[in-house]
Every structure is written in structure tokens, then in C-alpha cells.
Amino acid sequence: MAEITSREYAAGMDAEDKLSMYKKEFYLPDHLYYEANGLGPMSRRSEETLMRVADEWKNQLVAGWFCGKIPWFYYPERIAAMEEGIVGAADKELIINGTTTTNIHSVLAAFYRPEDRRTKLLCDSQIFSSDRYAVEAQIRLKGIDPDDALVLAGGSSPILDEDELIAHMTEETALVFLPSVVHSTGQLLDIERLAKAAAERGIPAGFDLSHSAGVVPHKLHDWGVDFAVWCNYKYLNGGLGCPATIFIHEKNFDIPVAMPGWHGYVKSRQFQKLPYFEAETGAGGWQHGSPLILNMAPLEGALDMINEAGIDAIREKSLAMTGYFMELVDAMLSGCGVSILTPREEASRGGHVTILHAASEEITEFLDSGSQMTDRLRAAVMDKRESGVEATWNNQVRIAFSPLFGSFEDVRQTAENLYLLLNV
């Protein structure tokens, strides 16, 4: 059997890859691309749906609202329905709308209802910066000091302790808002367990799925998640500026919309311009204003491909890729000062791997430049190695391989490139 570090070993895995045919559907750079968790590349299907909708605008003008292949008036609902199987949502529980941050403001404004002793808003200690900005703003809008109400839990380690999170779901907690995958570490949380624990304590729970949607299957409806938000430009490959998605569980369809707008009005009477807002049933009522049709159009083609490939097959390959990379790190890079921060257990691993190294800034620059070796980078790495600087939890490098446009040879080559940089 070939050594795992050999091209033959990677080639054998690629030969058995059921998703390998999708790589040719993407416009990819000449170098390896590690930012599937930052911005997915354009696919030919996304280009086709974008150009079709642009052509509808060009030739139909305002008539496109009702005469397009998918009438623009119903476009957010129709595209959102394409995500139902990916995240496990029921009919009317999804809508494409706004940005992730504006959607966080919207759902928190509605679901964070401090009353009597219940004033705390529970988040994780690794909370993404933009999420925290929104959380603190919504707490202030309720007339409460975030220093008193925001609880950041999960333990002192970057790897969150779910028992510790649950322990903070107390009689003082008004809302739980957590990530599905921790952006910094790649840790996948047990959403089902956490949502159930919150529900048992009478606490609504929502999640930010930005680092899992499109690479990890979910069952939001069956798990009883109250609400969720996520962006569509990472693993879902919807393109820069692509509108985000809101999930509202059907048990919460009667909760008043916090940020109403004309496009969230009951569809059959929307153009009557009535003075009092009446929300459309389900997540559709959470739309703010006119939908960003052109920005949404690439997502249509991307979701067509993802649904064709199947989210379970995508997850299977993603786990194989991240697991393979971890094996290569152990075999090739542990002697170069590299350690793995991401949990090794498949059930606790998202779509990317976070490694630690004292020269994390240099490694990031190296990967972003297409693994271009320079004397300056080599010298910087050597200086840190000779000075004996040790990596801390802040010396993180996040590497994401997409199951749709990545290969196992890409994974192997990544490890080899890092070895060439660090073995100085």
C-alpha cells in the first residue's frame, strides 16, 4: 500500500471520489484555493443563472417581476426552497433576505425578550466579531447593559465545552445564540443537543450556520431550532454580495416580525399598499424591502449543483478531506512545529481545519499567495524557529477544502507545500 504522503495514495482516493466531476464546473485560479469558508468561486451554473436574470432585466424591465423564468416577485421564496433539504427545513421556514448581520439584528430583536429575572443572552466565548456587535446592540436596545446581560460561555479553551454551555442555560437566560461551526477552530457543535437542552429549560435557541451551511447537513425543523441565519457565499458558492438566509421554525410563525418591510407583506395583497403591516405566513414575512435579485441569481445555479451532488455525499467527502489532511499533518508537519486545533472526532468537525504554528502570519501569507516561496518568508520562518517562539492559541491558520472543487491531491499538495516552507 502506498504511503499516505505519496501522490499514488492521493490519486487512489481521487479515483474513488464520486464528486470529482464537479471540479470542472468552477472557474478556479491556477494555484490551490483554501478559502471555501471565506468566498466560494464562481461556477458555470451560477454564471448561467446570473446572465439569464440579467438578460431578463435587460429585455423585460419591470415586467420581469412576473414574467421571468422564475418571476422575481417569488424569487426569494423559490431559491430559499432549494435550501430546504440542505438544512432540514420545512415548507415556508426559509427565506433569502438581507445580510447575515441584518438578519441577526432582525431575529434577535424578535426573539430576545428579557423579562423579570430572564435577561441573559447566552453566546459562546469564541463568538464571531460581527455577531457580537449585533448581540450587544440588541441588548442595549432593550435598555440593558451588555456587561450585565451578555454571557460568553464554553470554557477557557478555544474548543467549546458543550456541558459548560448547557450549564449556563439558567433561569436567568432569555435567549441562546450560538454558532453551528466555530469559525476560529472548525469545531462543529451538537445543535440537536443544545437546542433540546434550551427547550427543556424554556429558552428559545438560535444558531448562525455561516460556517456549516452547504458542507454539513442539518435537520433544523426536526431538532426544534427556533431560528437560524447564515450567509450563502461560503460553501454555498452564491457569490460576493449574495443575500443571506433566515430560518424560522413553524412553531414561531406567530411571533411578530421585528423589522417589517413591504416585501414581507402577505403576497396576495402586497401591491395594495395597505397602511398596516400584515406579515406573510412563515419566514417570508421576515423580508425587509425589495429583494436583491441580481445578487441572488448566482445562488440559483450553485444550489442546483449542491442538490444534485447531495449534501450527505458532500459531507462524506468533506470529512474524508479534513481527516486526510490531519493524517498528513501528523506524518509530515508535526516535526515542523505544526499542531492541530480542530477536533479530530468526525462528529465534532466542520468543513475546515485550524492548525497552530508560531509563524501563522507567514503561513497565511504563503497560502494566500498561491504557495509562492520567497526568501523573505523563509527568513521570517527561520527567525521564529531559531528564536524558539512557541505557538499560542492565537497563532491560527484556517484551511478549508471544498468537496465540490477540491481533490485529495490538492490536500496532499497543501501539506507538501507547508513542509517545504517550514522545514528550514
Side-chain angles (χ1 to χ4, degrees), residues 19-156:
L19 301 181
S20 61
M21 76 287 290
Y22 290 105
K23 186 170 187 175
K24 67 178 183 297
E25 297 226 23
F26 289 89
Y27 293 103
L28 298 171
D30 294 333
H31 57 80
L32 298 179
Y33 186 64
Y34 309 97
E35 298 289 346
N37 63 336
L39 176 64
M42 176 183 283
S43 68
R44 286 167 174 78
R45 296 195 206 190
S46 289
E47 183 180 41
E48 289 173 4
T49 52
L50 173 60
M51 296 309 295
R52 189 200 77 226
V53 174
D55 190 67
E56 290 171 351
W57 172 33
K58 175 182 176 181
N59 293 294
Q60 298 179 18
L61 292 175
V62 73
W65 283 103
F66 293 96
C67 297
K69 181 178 179 180
I70 300 178
W72 306 339
F73 188 62
Y74 304 102
Y75 205 52
E77 289 84 359
R78 290 281 295 275
I79 305 307
M82 296 177 73
E83 294 190 340
E84 288 176 357
I86 297 172
V87 298
D91 184 42
K92 297 185 182 298
E93 289 185 333
L94 298 180
I95 195 66
I96 309 292
N97 175 78
T99 68
T100 305
T101 301
T102 59
N103 289 340
I104 291 174
H105 278 285
S106 180
V107 293
L108 291 185
F111 283 90
Y112 176 54
R113 301 186 292 271
E115 185 177 7
D116 299 329
R117 291 183 62 197
R118 287 194 182 272
T119 61
K120 307 293 186 183
L121 205 164
L122 175 62
C123 297
D124 65 290
S125 59
Q126 302 297 308
I127 185 172
F128 186 66
S129 57
S130 187
D131 291 37
R132 180 167 184 167
Y133 305 153
V135 166
E136 292 192 349
Q138 288 301 320
I139 292 173
R140 285 193 293 270
L141 286 172
K142 294 297 196 295
I144 304 174
D145 188 340
D147 289 340
D148 297 328
L150 177 58
V151 177
L152 299 178
S156 58

Side-chain angles (χ1 to χ4, degrees), residues 27 45 53 69 126-127 136 163 166 177 197 213 222 230 247 268 291 314 345 358 383 401 418 421:
Y27 293 103
R45 296 195 206 190
V53 174
K69 181 178 179 180
Q126 302 297 308
I127 185 172
E136 292 192 349
D163 290 335
I166 292 174
F177 182 52
D222 292 347
W230 61 89
F247 165 84
S268 62
I314 289 172
E345 301 80 9
D383 285 345
F401 302 103
L418 290 174
L421 173 69

